[in-house]
Amino acid sequence: MTGEELVIRAEAAAANAYAPYSNYLVGASVLTRDGRFFDGVNVENAAYPLGICAERTAIAKAASEGLRPGDLEAIGINASPCGGCRQWLHEWQFELVAFRREDGSIAEYSPAALLPDGWDLPT
Ligand code: THU
């Protein structure tokens, strides 16, 4: 599964976004190391700050099924991930983050490239 194929899955998932306030439909598709997919969408709320991004929905679905950081290989998104989601991508130790740029091209990065010197809880 290439990054572009994952982005195409994310674009299909975006049709289920619940985004009545922004009308900005976001989809994310997570590929696990054992070959499963967890798709997510943004879910907004009338109390605007309570909305959740597509990436976090997809990762939370995987977490709910028992997956843990290191179990998630790649994620495709139909938009560039926001700063908060970049911290989630760092936490979950993805190998590959692929997304569709505004110009239609596919971007492929590691979480470290998207969040240099990422923060971890000091032990
Ligand atoms: N959004 C995402 O789902 N992921 C991102 O990485 C960027 C922003 C959503 C949140 C909100 O529902 C809408 O896009 C507009 O900000």
Side-chain angles (χ1 to χ4, degrees), residues 59-97:
I59 294 168
K61 284 172 71 176
S64 300
E65 295 303 316
L67 286 95
R68 290 295 173 260
D71 295 338
L72 309 184
E73 183 174 323
I75 185 169
I77 317 157
N78 68 336
S80 175
C82 76
C85 285
R86 292 178 190 219
Q87 182 70 32
W88 273 58
L89 299 171
H90 168 72
E91 172 96 14
W92 283 82
Q93 301 168 15
F94 282 91
E95 191 175 309
L96 175 71
V97 181

